[in-house]
Amino acid sequence: MDTQKIIALDKKYYMNTFGERIPIVFEYGQQSTLYDKEGKAYTDFVAGIAVNVLGYGHPALVEAITSQAKKLIHCSNLFYIEAQAQLAKLLVENSCGDRVFFANSGAEANEGAIKLARKYFRDKGMNKYEIITAVNSFHGRTLATLAATGQEKYQKPFVPMPAGFKSVPYNDLEAVRNAITDSTCAVMIELIQGEGGVIEATHEYVKGLEQLCSERGILLILDEVQTGIGRTGKLFAYQHFDIQPDIITLAKGLGGGVPIGAIIAKESVASAFEPGSHGSTFGGNPLACSASIAVLTTLLQEGLIERCAEVGNYFKQKLNALKDRYHFIKDVRGKGLMLGMELDPSVPGKEVVNAALSEGYIINCAGHNTLRFVPPLVITKQEIDGLVDTLDKIFKRTLETRK
Ligand SMILES: *Cc1c(COP(=O)(O)O)cnc(C)c1O
């Protein structure tokens, strides 16, 4: 089917939640390159929005999925599941957590984390249910995670929101301190706000939050749905800070493209979930868990996380060199291969995204007019050079047309 026909079908039959999508249909990919229906190649710096950490067609991932698919795709959680148990072990052995639960998406992992935090205090006979989150955060599209998401534009059409959420300015420890009441059960934040525009939490804020939560006897939940799985140059972003969160949520990169989410928690917290507390039909099924085991073992055994840190530094330096030359680049932010470049509002990021696309580079624009770069962790320096040269060319043209 050709691209125009596919677009026509979408416009007729699919709910219009994504508006005018980019009029490209991808056929297949190899490493960090995607090929569209017409055979045009694109170097991918979006990776399905920080999902395809191993790029496209990685033999270890393809082999894990195909061999598992031949044996058993799904099996209910009425039974024990080999890949699920093994993946849980792998996540615990490589994090500060003790127990894992598998969901199917980031929003679902966060929903589970919210339930777990509330149940933990309910079991102690304490009426603590409120969760403090950050303004400009993103935690998902379900009702509870929308309520947690500190962005009114997402919430407004769907009021009333579930009760028990309060958002306060990011990187402002005093604001969190002042927001804590006897009803507060947890603080939930991203260590780098992704959808919000690649905004990093400061070291003092994160260390301060850990201390504040422990002083006040409330839980620290880190939404690592985007920052997790090697993205920032560590397996989990919290490992940059020498802290121990009570609960971590994961999704995006975890299955390398196969949908899977996870909650990791400390034993004392995890034990609040008892038989019947929580569940999922698909969560932790053999196919998704086998994919995820392949992703994690490949990342860990092939040194891809250290490589991400190194290649990310190289990339960030190059973006900073562009910033020195173009006054409309306001900021370069991020860690590892989760980088952002904020542009002055006079240069709409969407136009740069489209210009890059016609040159064969996929990038995207997140909050605060920020170009976001979250490529596969297998991206090469040559590919980064190619993108930076292309941005240079686009920015030069921008300067000329604005003279
Ligand atoms: C993408 C994202 C989510 C939502 O994940 P879904 O899989 O789309 O539900 C939640 N939190 C963060 C930080 C995210 O980046």
Side-chain angles (χ1 to χ4, degrees):
M1 202 180 287
D2 75 27
T3 300
Q4 288 316 314
K5 269 217 181 92
I6 295 163
I7 293 172
L9 283 186
D10 176 275
K11 292 215 176 295
K12 182 155 192 253
Y13 294 108
Y14 201 82
M15 291 193 195
N16 190 25
T17 49
F18 303 109
E20 283 297 316
R21 304 194 204 201
I22 299 163
I24 295 173
V25 178
F26 293 114
E27 188 83 342
Y28 68 100
Q30 281 171 343
Q31 279 108 41
S32 300
T33 305
L34 279 168
Y35 297 86
D36 73 11
K37 282 265 175 197
E38 284 73 39
K40 181 175 171 184
Y42 301 82
T43 311
D44 184 10
F45 283 80
V46 172
I49 314 191
V51 167
N52 304 318
V53 286
L54 295 182
Y56 302 95
H58 193 289
L61 179 57
V62 172
E63 162 58 23
I65 295 170
T66 46
S67 66
Q68 186 61 52
K70 283 180 199 159
K71 289 194 284 187
L72 181 64
I73 291 175
H74 178 76
C75 158
S76 88
N77 282 307
L78 296 170
F79 300 90
Y80 292 94
I81 298 171
E82 181 176 357
Q84 186 183 95
Q86 282 177 341
L87 178 59
K89 174 172 185 273
L90 203 49
L91 286 170
V92 165
E93 285 178 349
N94 287 285
S95 74
C96 64
D98 301 305
R99 282 182 189 273
V100 178
F101 176 86
F102 293 116
N104 308 285
S105 68
E108 231 189 286
N110 286 334
E111 286 269 347
I114 293 162
K115 284 177 67 180
L116 182 59
R118 288 186 175 184
K119 177 87 169 27
Y120 173 74
F121 288 103
R122 192 80 13 109
D123 287 356
K124 292 179 184 289
M126 295 163 95
N127 189 30
K128 287 180 180 288
Y129 56 87
E130 191 168 73
I131 297 187
I132 298 171
T133 65
V135 171
N136 194 52
S137 62
F138 185 83
H139 298 295
R141 302 282 197 165
T142 61
L143 280 170
T145 59
L146 262 189
T149 292
Q151 302 196 51
E152 210 185 318
K153 67 174 179 197
Y154 291 127
Q155 301 178 349
K156 234 177 177 172
F158 305 107
V159 291
M161 285 289 116
F165 297 90
K166 194 188 301 183
S167 60
V168 299
Y170 193 54
N171 274 333
D172 184 342
L173 192 60
E174 280 318 295
V176 178
R177 196 188 304 277
N178 294 332
I180 296 174
T181 68
D182 288 343
S183 308
T184 307
C185 71
V187 174
M188 174 158 88
I189 61 153
E190 299 155 87
L191 291 173
I192 302 177
Q193 292 187 330
E195 303 306 304
V198 192
I199 300 174
E200 292 175 77
T202 65
H203 208 264
E204 307 80 78
Y205 179 60
V206 176
K207 291 293 281 182
L209 271 185
E210 186 196 39
Q211 200 188 342
L212 180 60
C213 287
S214 118
E215 277 167 18
R216 303 298 297 266
I218 60 181
L219 302 178
L220 179 59
I221 305 174
L222 296 181
D223 178 345
E224 292 234 31
V225 168
Q226 191 158 156
T227 54
I229 317 302
R231 176 58 52 196
T232 68
K234 302 262 187 199
L235 183 56
F236 305 106
Y238 82 83
Q239 293 166 332
H240 290 284
F241 295 94
D242 182 33
I243 57 162
Q244 298 230 347
D246 299 290
I247 304 177
I248 306 161
T249 58
L250 299 172
K252 292 200 164 85
L254 183 58
V258 177
I260 179 169
I263 307 165
I264 307 178
K266 294 271 187 202
E267 178 70 44
S268 57
V269 178
S271 58
F273 271 175
E274 302 161 298
S277 298
H278 198 50
S280 168
T281 299
F282 293 122
N285 90 4
L287 188 77
C289 290
S290 299
S292 187
I293 290 168
V295 168
L296 286 173
T297 49
T298 303
L299 288 181
L300 293 168
Q301 283 170 12
E302 296 186 4
L304 281 171
I305 300 172
E306 295 75 18
R307 186 185 172 280
C308 165
E310 195 234 317
V311 171
N313 276 337
Y314 174 82
F315 192 0
K316 195 173 183 182
Q317 273 169 27
K318 292 215 125 192
L319 294 176
N320 270 315
L322 284 179
K323 176 170 167 266
D324 292 341
R325 295 186 23 231
Y326 296 100
H327 62 86
F328 51 77
I329 302 176
K330 290 176 62 183
D331 201 9
V332 170
R333 297 186 287 262
K335 279 193 177 77
L337 287 168
M338 181 170 180
L339 298 176
M341 174 184 264
E342 183 175 344
L343 302 177
D344 186 85
S346 66
V347 179
K350 280 214 170 100
E351 289 177 16
V352 179
V353 169
N354 287 331
L357 201 62
S358 60
E359 302 283 337
Y361 287 91
I362 305 172
I363 59 175
N364 118 304
C365 185
H368 291 95
N369 205 35
T370 300
L371 302 178
R372 175 172 47 177
F373 311 102
V374 284
L377 304 190
V378 296
I379 197 91
T380 64
K381 288 187 181 170
Q382 291 94 303
E383 288 167 326
I384 290 167
D385 291 346
L387 171 71
V388 171
D389 289 348
T390 300
L391 288 174
D392 193 7
K393 195 161 94 182
I394 294 167
F395 292 154
K396 218 173 268 166
R397 226 159 41 209
T398 306
L399 269 190
E400 279 157 14
T401 56
R402 265 150 227 255
K403 259 178 195 155

